[in-house]
Coordinates of all heavy atoms in Angstrom, one line a residue:
F75 N 0.8 -1.2 0.0 CA 0.0 0.0 0.0 C 0.9 1.2 0.0 O 1.8 1.4 0.9 CB -0.9 0.0 1.3 CG -1.7 1.2 1.4 CD1 -2.9 1.3 0.7 CD2 -1.4 2.3 2.2 CE1 -3.7 2.4 0.8 CE2 -2.1 3.4 2.3 CZ -3.3 3.5 1.7
K76 N 0.6 2.1 -0.9 CA 1.3 3.4 -0.9 C 0.4 4.5 -1.1 O -0.4 4.6 -2.1 CB 2.4 3.4 -2.0 CG 3.2 4.6 -2.0 CD 4.3 4.5 -3.1 CE 5.1 5.8 -2.9 NZ 6.4 5.8 -3.7
H77 N 0.4 5.5 -0.2 CA -0.5 6.6 -0.2 C 0.3 7.8 -0.6 O 1.3 8.1 0.0 CB -1.2 6.8 1.1 CG -2.0 8.0 1.3 ND1 -3.3 8.1 0.6 CD2 -1.8 9.2 1.8 CE1 -3.7 9.3 0.8 NE2 -3.0 10.0 1.6
T78 N -0.2 8.6 -1.5 CA 0.6 9.8 -2.0 C -0.3 11.0 -1.9 O 0.2 12.1 -2.2 CB 1.0 9.6 -3.4 OG1 -0.1 9.4 -4.2 CG2 2.0 8.5 -3.5
G79 N -1.5 10.9 -1.4 CA -2.4 12.1 -1.3 C -2.4 12.8 0.0 O -1.8 12.3 1.0
Y80 N -3.1 13.9 0.1 CA -3.3 14.7 1.3 C -4.3 14.2 2.2 O -5.4 13.7 1.7 CB -3.5 16.1 0.9 CG -3.9 17.0 2.0 CD1 -2.9 17.4 2.9 CD2 -5.2 17.3 2.2 CE1 -3.3 18.3 4.0 CE2 -5.6 18.2 3.3 CZ -4.6 18.7 4.1 OH -5.0 19.5 5.2
V81 N -4.1 14.1 3.5 CA -5.1 13.7 4.5 C -5.4 15.0 5.3 O -4.5 15.5 6.0 CB -4.6 12.6 5.4 CG1 -5.7 12.2 6.4 CG2 -4.3 11.3 4.5
P82 N -6.6 15.4 5.3 CA -7.0 16.6 6.2 C -6.8 16.3 7.6 O -7.0 15.2 8.1 CB -8.5 16.8 5.9 CG -8.8 16.1 4.7 CD -7.8 14.9 4.6
P83 N -6.2 17.3 8.4 CA -6.0 17.1 9.8 C -7.2 16.8 10.7 O -7.2 16.4 11.8 CB -5.3 18.4 10.2 CG -5.6 19.4 9.2 CD -5.9 18.6 7.9
L84 N -8.4 17.1 10.1 CA -9.6 16.8 10.8 C -9.9 15.3 11.0 O -10.8 14.9 11.7 CB -10.8 17.5 10.1 CG -10.9 19.0 10.2 CD1 -12.0 19.5 9.4 CD2 -11.0 19.5 11.6
F85 N -9.1 14.5 10.2 CA -9.3 13.1 10.2 C -8.1 12.3 10.6 O -7.5 11.6 9.9 CB -9.8 12.6 8.8 CG -11.0 13.3 8.3 CD1 -10.9 14.4 7.4 CD2 -12.3 13.0 8.8 CE1 -12.0 15.0 7.0 CE2 -13.4 13.7 8.4 CZ -13.3 14.7 7.4
P86 N -7.7 12.4 11.9 CA -6.5 11.7 12.3 C -6.6 10.2 12.2 O -5.6 9.5 12.0 CB -6.3 12.1 13.8 CG -7.7 12.5 14.2 CD -8.4 13.1 13.0
A87 N -7.8 9.6 12.4 CA -7.9 8.2 12.3 C -7.6 7.7 10.8 O -7.1 6.6 10.7 CB -9.3 7.8 12.7
L88 N -8.0 8.5 9.9 CA -7.6 8.2 8.5 C -6.1 8.1 8.3 O -5.6 7.2 7.7 CB -8.3 9.2 7.5 CG -8.0 8.9 6.0 CD1 -8.4 7.6 5.6 CD2 -8.7 10.0 5.2
S89 N -5.4 9.1 8.9 CA -3.9 9.1 8.8 C -3.4 7.8 9.4 O -2.5 7.2 8.9 CB -3.4 10.3 9.5 OG -3.8 11.4 8.8
L90 N -4.0 7.4 10.6 CA -3.6 6.2 11.3 C -3.8 5.0 10.4 O -2.9 4.1 10.4 CB -4.3 6.1 12.6 CG -3.8 5.1 13.6 CD1 -2.4 5.3 13.9 CD2 -4.7 5.2 14.9
A91 N -4.9 4.9 9.8 CA -5.2 3.8 8.9 C -4.2 3.7 7.7 O -3.7 2.6 7.4 CB -6.6 3.9 8.4
I92 N -4.0 4.9 7.1 CA -3.0 4.9 6.0 C -1.6 4.5 6.5 O -0.9 3.7 5.8 CB -3.0 6.3 5.4 CG1 -4.3 6.6 4.7 CG2 -1.8 6.5 4.5 CD1 -4.5 8.0 4.3
E93 N -1.2 5.0 7.7 CA 0.1 4.6 8.2 C 0.2 3.1 8.4 O 1.2 2.5 8.1 CB 0.3 5.3 9.6 CG 1.5 4.9 10.3 CD 1.5 5.6 11.7 OE1 0.9 6.7 11.9 OE2 2.1 5.0 12.6
S94 N -0.9 2.5 9.1 CA -0.9 1.1 9.3 C -0.8 0.3 8.0 O -0.1 -0.7 7.9 CB -2.1 0.7 10.1 OG -2.1 1.3 11.4
G95 N -1.6 0.7 7.1 CA -1.6 0.0 5.8 C -0.2 0.1 5.1 O 0.3 -0.9 4.5
S96 N 0.4 1.2 5.2 CA 1.7 1.4 4.6 C 2.8 0.6 5.2 O 3.7 0.0 4.6 CB 2.1 2.9 4.7 OG 1.3 3.7 4.0
K97 N 2.7 0.4 6.5 CA 3.7 -0.4 7.3 C 3.5 -1.9 7.0 O 4.4 -2.7 7.0 CB 3.6 -0.2 8.8 CG 4.1 1.2 9.2 CD 4.0 1.4 10.6 CE 4.6 2.7 11.1 NZ 4.5 3.0 12.5
G98 N 2.2 -2.3 6.8 CA 1.9 -3.7 6.4 C 2.1 -4.7 7.5 O 2.0 -4.2 8.7
G99 N 2.2 -5.9 7.2 CA 2.4 -7.0 8.2 C 1.1 -7.0 9.0 O 0.0 -7.0 8.5
T100 N 1.3 -7.1 10.4 CA 0.1 -7.2 11.3 C -0.3 -5.8 11.8 O -1.2 -5.7 12.7 CB 0.4 -8.1 12.4 OG1 1.6 -7.8 13.0 CG2 0.4 -9.6 11.9
Y101 N 0.3 -4.7 11.4 CA -0.2 -3.4 11.8 C -1.6 -3.2 11.5 O -2.4 -2.7 12.4 CB 0.6 -2.2 11.1 CG 1.8 -1.9 11.9 CD1 3.1 -2.2 11.5 CD2 1.7 -1.2 13.1 CE1 4.2 -1.8 12.2 CE2 2.8 -0.8 13.9 CZ 4.1 -1.2 13.4 OH 5.2 -0.8 14.2
P102 N -2.2 -3.6 10.3 CA -3.6 -3.4 10.1 C -4.5 -4.2 11.0 O -5.6 -3.8 11.4 CB -3.8 -3.8 8.6 CG -2.5 -3.5 8.0 CD -1.5 -3.9 9.1
V103 N -3.9 -5.3 11.5 CA -4.7 -6.2 12.4 C -4.7 -5.5 13.8 O -5.8 -5.4 14.4 CB -4.0 -7.6 12.7 CG1 -4.7 -8.3 13.8 CG2 -3.9 -8.3 11.4
C104 N -3.7 -4.9 14.1 CA -3.6 -4.1 15.4 C -4.6 -2.9 15.3 O -5.4 -2.6 16.2 CB -2.2 -3.5 15.7 SG -2.0 -2.5 17.1
L105 N -4.6 -2.2 14.2 CA -5.5 -1.0 14.0 C -6.9 -1.5 14.1 O -7.7 -0.9 14.9 CB -5.2 -0.4 12.6 CG -6.3 0.6 12.2 CD1 -6.0 2.0 12.9 CD2 -6.3 0.8 10.7
N106 N -7.3 -2.5 13.5 CA -8.7 -2.9 13.4 C -9.1 -3.5 14.8 O -10.2 -3.0 15.3 CB -8.8 -4.1 12.4 CG -10.3 -4.5 12.3 OD1 -11.2 -3.8 11.9 ND2 -10.5 -5.8 12.7
A107 N -8.3 -4.3 15.4 CA -8.7 -4.9 16.8 C -8.8 -3.8 17.8 O -9.8 -3.7 18.5 CB -7.7 -5.9 17.2
A108 N -7.8 -2.9 17.9 CA -7.9 -1.8 18.9 C -9.1 -0.8 18.6 O -9.7 -0.4 19.5 CB -6.6 -1.0 18.8
N109 N -9.2 -0.5 17.4 CA -10.4 0.4 17.0 C -11.7 -0.2 17.3 O -12.6 0.5 17.9 CB -10.3 0.8 15.5 CG -11.3 1.8 15.1 OD1 -11.3 2.9 15.6 ND2 -12.3 1.4 14.4
E110 N -11.9 -1.5 17.0 CA -13.2 -2.1 17.3 C -13.5 -2.1 18.7 O -14.6 -1.9 19.1 CB -13.2 -3.5 16.7 CG -13.5 -3.6 15.2 CD -13.7 -5.0 14.7 OE1 -13.6 -6.0 15.5 OE2 -13.9 -5.1 13.5
E111 N -12.5 -2.5 19.6 CA -12.7 -2.5 21.0 C -12.9 -1.1 21.6 O -13.8 -1.0 22.5 CB -11.5 -3.2 21.7 CG -11.3 -4.7 21.4 CD -12.6 -5.5 21.8 OE1 -13.3 -5.2 22.8 OE2 -12.9 -6.5 21.1
A112 N -12.2 -0.1 21.1 CA -12.5 1.2 21.5 C -13.9 1.7 21.1 O -14.5 2.4 21.9 CB -11.4 2.1 20.9
V113 N -14.3 1.3 19.9 CA -15.7 1.8 19.5 C -16.7 1.0 20.4 O -17.7 1.7 20.8 CB -15.9 1.4 18.0 CG1 -17.4 1.6 17.6 CG2 -15.1 2.4 17.1
F114 N -16.5 -0.2 20.7 CA -17.5 -1.0 21.6 C -17.5 -0.2 22.9 O -18.6 0.0 23.5 CB -17.0 -2.4 21.8 CG -17.1 -3.3 20.6 CD1 -16.3 -4.4 20.4 CD2 -18.1 -3.1 19.6 CE1 -16.3 -5.2 19.3 CE2 -18.1 -3.9 18.5 CZ -17.3 -5.0 18.3
A115 N -16.4 0.2 23.5 CA -16.3 0.9 24.7 C -17.1 2.2 24.6 O -17.8 2.6 25.6 CB -14.9 1.1 25.2
F116 N -16.9 2.9 23.5 CA -17.6 4.2 23.4 C -19.1 4.0 23.3 O -19.9 4.7 24.0 CB -17.2 4.9 22.0 CG -18.0 6.0 21.6 CD1 -18.0 7.2 22.4 CD2 -18.8 5.9 20.5 CE1 -18.8 8.3 22.0 CE2 -19.6 7.0 20.2 CZ -19.6 8.2 20.9
L117 N -19.6 3.0 22.5 CA -21.0 2.7 22.4 C -21.6 2.3 23.8 O -22.8 2.4 24.0 CB -21.2 1.6 21.4 CG -20.9 2.1 19.9 CD1 -21.0 0.8 19.0 CD2 -21.8 3.2 19.5
N118 N -20.8 1.7 24.7 CA -21.2 1.3 26.0 C -21.0 2.5 27.0 O -21.1 2.2 28.2 CB -20.5 0.0 26.4 CG -21.0 -1.1 25.6 OD1 -22.2 -1.3 25.4 ND2 -20.1 -2.0 25.3
N119 N -20.7 3.6 26.5 CA -20.5 4.8 27.4 C -19.4 4.7 28.4 O -19.4 5.2 29.5 CB -21.8 5.2 28.2 CG -22.9 5.6 27.2 OD1 -22.7 6.4 26.3 ND2 -24.1 5.0 27.4
E120 N -18.3 3.9 28.0 CA -17.2 3.7 28.9 C -16.1 4.7 28.6 O -15.2 4.9 29.5 CB -16.7 2.2 28.7 CG -17.7 1.1 29.1 CD -17.1 -0.2 28.7 OE1 -16.0 -0.4 28.5 OE2 -18.0 -1.1 28.6
I121 N -16.0 5.2 27.4 CA -15.1 6.2 27.0 C -15.7 7.3 26.2 O -16.8 7.1 25.7 CB -13.9 5.6 26.2 CG1 -14.4 5.0 24.9 CG2 -13.1 4.6 27.0 CD1 -13.3 4.5 23.9
K122 N -15.0 8.4 26.0 CA -15.5 9.5 25.1 C -15.1 9.3 23.7 O -14.1 8.5 23.4 CB -15.0 10.8 25.7 CG -15.6 11.1 27.0 CD -15.1 12.5 27.5 CE -15.7 12.7 28.8 NZ -15.1 13.6 29.8
F123 N -15.8 9.9 22.8 CA -15.5 9.7 21.3 C -14.0 10.0 21.0 O -13.4 9.2 20.3 CB -16.4 10.6 20.5 CG -16.2 10.3 19.1 CD1 -16.7 9.2 18.4 CD2 -15.5 11.3 18.3 CE1 -16.5 9.0 17.0 CE2 -15.3 11.0 16.9 CZ -15.8 9.9 16.3
P124 N -13.4 11.1 21.5 CA -12.0 11.3 21.1 C -11.0 10.2 21.7 O -9.9 10.0 21.1 CB -11.6 12.7 21.8 CG -13.0 13.3 21.9 CD -14.0 12.2 22.2
D125 N -11.5 9.5 22.7 CA -10.6 8.4 23.2 C -10.5 7.3 22.2 O -9.4 6.5 22.3 CB -11.2 7.9 24.5 CG -11.1 9.0 25.6 OD1 -10.3 9.8 25.6 OD2 -12.1 8.9 26.5
I126 N -11.4 7.1 21.3 CA -11.2 6.1 20.3 C -9.9 6.2 19.6 O -9.1 5.3 19.5 CB -12.4 6.0 19.4 CG1 -13.7 5.8 20.0 CG2 -12.1 5.0 18.2 CD1 -15.0 5.9 19.2
Y127 N -9.6 7.4 19.1 CA -8.4 7.6 18.3 C -7.2 7.5 19.3 O -6.2 6.9 19.0 CB -8.4 9.0 17.7 CG -7.0 9.3 17.2 CD1 -6.6 8.8 16.0 CD2 -6.2 10.2 17.9 CE1 -5.3 9.1 15.4 CE2 -4.9 10.5 17.4 CZ -4.5 9.9 16.2 OH -3.2 10.2 15.7
K128 N -7.3 8.1 20.5 CA -6.2 8.0 21.4 C -5.8 6.7 21.8 O -4.6 6.3 21.9 CB -6.5 8.8 22.7 CG -6.7 10.3 22.5 CD -7.1 11.0 23.7 CE -7.5 12.5 23.5 NZ -8.1 13.1 24.6
I129 N -6.8 5.8 22.1 CA -6.5 4.4 22.4 C -5.9 3.7 21.3 O -4.9 2.9 21.4 CB -7.8 3.7 22.8 CG1 -8.2 4.3 24.2 CG2 -7.7 2.2 22.9 CD1 -9.6 3.9 24.6
T130 N -6.5 3.9 20.1 CA -5.9 3.1 18.9 C -4.5 3.6 18.6 O -3.6 2.8 18.3 CB -6.9 3.4 17.7 OG1 -8.2 3.0 18.0 CG2 -6.4 2.6 16.5
R131 N -4.2 4.9 18.7 CA -2.9 5.4 18.5 C -1.9 4.8 19.4 O -0.8 4.4 19.1 CB -3.0 6.9 18.6 CG -1.6 7.6 18.6 CD -1.2 8.0 17.2 NE -0.3 7.1 16.6 CZ 0.2 7.2 15.4 NH1 -0.3 8.1 14.5 NH2 1.0 6.3 14.9
K132 N -2.3 4.8 20.7 CA -1.5 4.2 21.7 C -1.1 2.8 21.5 O 0.1 2.4 21.6 CB -2.0 4.3 23.1 CG -1.2 4.0 24.2 CD -1.7 4.4 25.6 CE -0.6 4.3 26.6 NZ -0.9 5.1 27.8
L133 N -2.0 2.0 21.0 CA -1.7 0.5 20.7 C -0.9 0.5 19.5 O 0.1 -0.4 19.5 CB -3.1 -0.2 20.5 CG -3.7 -0.8 21.7 CD1 -2.9 -2.0 22.3 CD2 -4.0 0.2 22.8
I134 N -1.1 1.2 18.5 CA -0.3 1.2 17.3 C 1.2 1.6 17.6 O 2.1 1.0 17.2 CB -0.8 2.1 16.2 CG1 -2.1 1.6 15.6 CG2 0.2 2.5 15.1 CD1 -1.9 0.4 14.7
D135 N 1.3 2.7 18.4 CA 2.7 3.2 18.7 C 3.5 2.2 19.6 O 4.7 2.2 19.4 CB 2.6 4.5 19.6 CG 2.1 5.7 18.7 OD1 2.2 5.5 17.5 OD2 1.8 6.7 19.3
S136 N 2.8 1.3 20.3 CA 3.6 0.4 21.1 C 3.6 -1.0 20.5 O 4.2 -2.0 21.1 CB 3.0 0.3 22.5 OG 1.7 -0.2 22.5
Y137 N 3.1 -1.1 19.3 CA 3.0 -2.4 18.7 C 4.3 -2.9 18.0 O 5.0 -2.2 17.4 CB 1.9 -2.4 17.6 CG 1.5 -3.7 17.0 CD1 1.0 -4.7 17.8 CD2 1.9 -4.0 15.7 CE1 0.7 -6.0 17.3 CE2 1.6 -5.3 15.2 CZ 1.0 -6.2 16.0 OH 0.7 -7.5 15.4
E138 N 4.5 -4.2 18.1 CA 5.7 -4.9 17.5 C 5.1 -5.7 16.4 O 4.5 -6.8 16.5 CB 6.5 -5.7 18.4 CG 7.2 -4.9 19.5 CD 8.1 -5.8 20.3 OE1 8.7 -6.8 19.9 OE2 8.3 -5.4 21.5
N139 N 5.3 -5.2 15.1 CA 4.8 -5.8 13.9 C 5.4 -7.2 13.6 O 6.6 -7.5 13.9 CB 5.1 -4.9 12.8 CG 4.4 -5.3 11.5 OD1 3.3 -5.7 11.5 ND2 5.1 -4.9 10.3
I140 N 4.6 -8.0 13.0 CA 5.0 -9.3 12.3 C 4.9 -9.1 10.8 O 3.9 -9.0 10.3 CB 4.2 -10.5 12.7 CG1 4.2 -10.6 14.3 CG2 4.6 -11.7 12.0 CD1 3.2 -11.7 14.8
P141 N 6.1 -8.9 10.1 CA 6.1 -8.5 8.7 C 5.4 -9.4 7.8 O 4.6 -8.9 6.9 CB 7.6 -8.4 8.4 CG 8.3 -8.4 9.7 CD 7.4 -9.0 10.7
N142 N 5.5 -10.7 7.9 CA 4.9 -11.7 7.0 C 4.1 -12.7 7.7 O 4.6 -13.9 7.8 CB 5.9 -12.3 6.0 CG 6.5 -11.2 5.1 OD1 5.9 -10.5 4.4 ND2 7.9 -11.1 5.2
P143 N 3.0 -12.4 8.4 CA 2.3 -13.3 9.3 C 1.6 -14.4 8.6 O 1.1 -14.3 7.5 CB 1.4 -12.4 10.0 CG 1.0 -11.4 9.0 CD 2.3 -11.1 8.3
H144 N 1.5 -15.6 9.3 CA 0.6 -16.7 8.9 C -0.7 -16.4 9.5 O -0.8 -15.7 10.4 CB 1.3 -18.0 9.3 CG 2.6 -18.3 8.7 ND1 2.8 -18.8 7.4 CD2 3.8 -18.2 9.2 CE1 4.0 -18.9 7.2 NE2 4.7 -18.6 8.2
L145 N -1.7 -17.2 9.0 CA -3.1 -17.0 9.5 C -3.1 -17.1 11.1 O -3.8 -16.4 11.7 CB -4.0 -18.0 8.9 CG -5.5 -17.9 9.3 CD1 -6.0 -16.5 9.1 CD2 -6.3 -19.0 8.7
E146 N -2.5 -18.1 11.6 CA -2.4 -18.3 13.0 C -1.9 -17.2 13.8 O -2.5 -16.8 14.9 CB -1.7 -19.6 13.4 CG -2.2 -20.9 12.8 CD -1.8 -21.1 11.4 OE1 -0.8 -20.5 10.8 OE2 -2.5 -21.9 10.7
E147 N -0.9 -16.5 13.2 CA -0.3 -15.4 13.9 C -1.3 -14.2 13.8 O -1.4 -13.4 14.8 CB 1.0 -15.0 13.2 CG 2.1 -16.0 13.5 CD 3.3 -15.8 12.6 OE1 3.3 -15.6 11.3 OE2 4.4 -15.7 13.2
I148 N -1.9 -14.0 12.7 CA -2.9 -12.9 12.6 C -4.0 -13.1 13.6 O -4.4 -12.1 14.3 CB -3.5 -12.9 11.1 CG1 -2.4 -12.5 10.1 CG2 -4.7 -12.0 11.1 CD1 -2.8 -12.7 8.7
L149 N -4.5 -14.3 13.7 CA -5.6 -14.5 14.7 C -5.1 -14.3 16.1 O -5.9 -13.8 16.9 CB -6.2 -15.9 14.5 CG -6.9 -16.2 13.2 CD1 -7.2 -17.7 13.0 CD2 -8.1 -15.3 13.0
Q150 N -3.9 -14.8 16.4 CA -3.4 -14.6 17.8 C -3.2 -13.1 18.1 O -3.5 -12.6 19.2 CB -2.1 -15.4 17.9 CG -1.6 -15.3 19.4 CD -2.5 -15.9 20.3 OE1 -3.0 -17.1 20.2 NE2 -2.9 -15.2 21.4
E151 N -2.6 -12.4 17.1 CA -2.3 -10.9 17.3 C -3.7 -10.2 17.5 O -3.7 -9.3 18.3 CB -1.6 -10.4 16.1 CG -0.2 -10.8 16.1 CD 0.6 -10.4 17.3 OE1 0.8 -9.2 17.5 OE2 1.0 -11.2 18.1
D152 N -4.7 -10.5 16.7 CA -6.0 -9.9 16.9 C -6.5 -10.1 18.4 O -6.9 -9.1 19.0 CB -7.0 -10.5 15.9 CG -8.4 -9.9 16.1 OD1 -8.6 -8.8 15.5 OD2 -9.2 -10.5 16.7
E153 N -6.4 -11.3 18.9 CA -6.8 -11.6 20.3 C -6.0 -10.8 21.3 O -6.5 -10.2 22.2 CB -6.7 -13.1 20.6 CG -7.2 -13.5 21.9 CD -8.7 -13.1 22.1 OE1 -9.5 -13.2 21.2 OE2 -9.0 -12.8 23.3
N154 N -4.7 -10.8 21.1 CA -3.7 -10.1 22.0 C -4.0 -8.6 22.0 O -4.1 -8.0 23.1 CB -2.3 -10.3 21.6 CG -1.8 -11.7 21.8 OD1 -2.4 -12.5 22.5 ND2 -0.8 -12.1 21.1
I155 N -4.2 -8.0 20.9 CA -4.5 -6.6 20.8 C -5.9 -6.2 21.5 O -6.0 -5.2 22.2 CB -4.4 -6.1 19.4 CG1 -3.0 -6.1 18.9 CG2 -5.0 -4.6 19.3 CD1 -2.0 -5.3 19.7
R156 N -6.8 -7.1 21.2 CA -8.1 -6.8 21.9 C -8.0 -6.9 23.4 O -8.6 -6.1 24.1 CB -9.2 -7.9 21.3 CG -9.6 -7.7 19.9 CD -10.5 -8.7 19.4 NE -10.8 -8.5 18.0 CZ -11.6 -7.6 17.4 NH1 -12.3 -6.8 18.2 NH2 -11.7 -7.5 16.2
Q157 N -7.3 -7.8 23.9 CA -7.1 -7.9 25.3 C -6.3 -6.7 25.8 O -6.8 -6.1 26.9 CB -6.3 -9.2 25.7 CG -6.2 -9.4 27.1 CD -7.6 -9.6 27.8 OE1 -8.5 -10.2 27.2 NE2 -7.8 -9.1 29.0
K158 N -5.2 -6.3 25.2 CA -4.5 -5.1 25.6 C -5.4 -3.9 25.5 O -5.3 -3.0 26.5 CB -3.3 -4.9 24.7 CG -2.2 -5.9 25.0 CD -1.0 -5.7 24.1 CE 0.0 -6.8 24.3 NZ 1.2 -6.6 23.4
T159 N -6.2 -3.7 24.5 CA -7.1 -2.6 24.4 C -8.1 -2.6 25.6 O -8.3 -1.5 26.2 CB -7.9 -2.6 23.1 OG1 -6.9 -2.7 22.0 CG2 -8.7 -1.4 22.9
K160 N -8.7 -3.7 25.9 CA -9.6 -3.8 27.0 C -8.9 -3.4 28.3 O -9.5 -2.7 29.2 CB -10.3 -5.2 27.1 CG -11.2 -5.5 26.0 CD -11.6 -6.9 26.0 CE -12.5 -7.4 24.9 NZ -12.8 -8.7 24.9
E161 N -7.7 -3.8 28.5 CA -6.9 -3.5 29.7 C -6.7 -2.0 29.8 O -6.8 -1.4 30.8 CB -5.6 -4.2 29.8 CG -5.8 -5.7 30.0 CD -4.5 -6.6 29.8 OE1 -3.4 -5.9 29.6 OE2 -4.6 -7.8 29.8
L162 N -6.4 -1.4 28.6 CA -6.1 0.1 28.6 C -7.4 0.8 29.0 O -7.4 1.8 29.7 CB -5.6 0.5 27.2 CG -5.3 1.9 27.0 CD1 -4.3 2.5 28.1 CD2 -4.9 2.2 25.6
I163 N -8.5 0.4 28.4 CA -9.8 1.0 28.6 C -10.1 1.0 30.1 O -10.6 1.9 30.8 CB -10.9 0.4 27.8 CG1 -10.6 0.8 26.3 CG2 -12.3 0.9 28.2 CD1 -11.4 0.1 25.3
R164 N -9.9 -0.3 30.7 CA -10.2 -0.4 32.2 C -9.3 0.5 33.0 O -9.8 1.1 34.0 CB -9.9 -1.9 32.6 CG -11.1 -2.8 32.3 CD -11.0 -4.1 33.1 NE -9.9 -4.9 32.6 CZ -9.9 -5.7 31.5 NH1 -11.0 -5.9 30.8 NH2 -8.9 -6.4 31.2
S165 N -8.1 0.7 32.6 CA -7.2 1.6 33.3 C -7.5 3.0 33.2 O -7.1 3.9 34.1 CB -5.7 1.3 32.9 OG -5.5 2.0 31.7
M166 N -8.3 3.4 32.2 CA -8.7 4.8 32.1 C -9.9 5.2 32.9 O -10.2 6.3 33.1 CB -9.1 5.0 30.6 CG -7.9 4.9 29.6 SD -8.4 4.9 27.9 CE -9.0 6.6 27.8
R167 N -10.6 4.3 33.5 CA -11.8 4.5 34.3 C -11.5 5.2 35.6 O -10.5 5.0 36.2 CB -12.6 3.3 34.5 CG -13.2 2.7 33.2 CD -14.0 1.6 33.5 NE -14.3 0.9 32.2 CZ -14.5 -0.4 32.2 NH1 -14.6 -1.2 33.2 NH2 -14.7 -0.9 31.0

């Protein structure tokens, strides 16, 4: 994935998605799992809307990528990131 266009600053999550896609490997898995768990927490009134991006960004920033993952690694990383995201959300309360 290569992005060459402009991303408006009003959409930081879009920049995060482009960054994750550009890095490849399991970064998109991390982005998706963290974002989904953060959205679930928002819909359950556990966090505020801006926290969705903050949580996802924090998980991406601390993530150790697997460059060429196998299916089993993708599934395991998805589960690991979801657990870490839930722990982060709990710590924010």
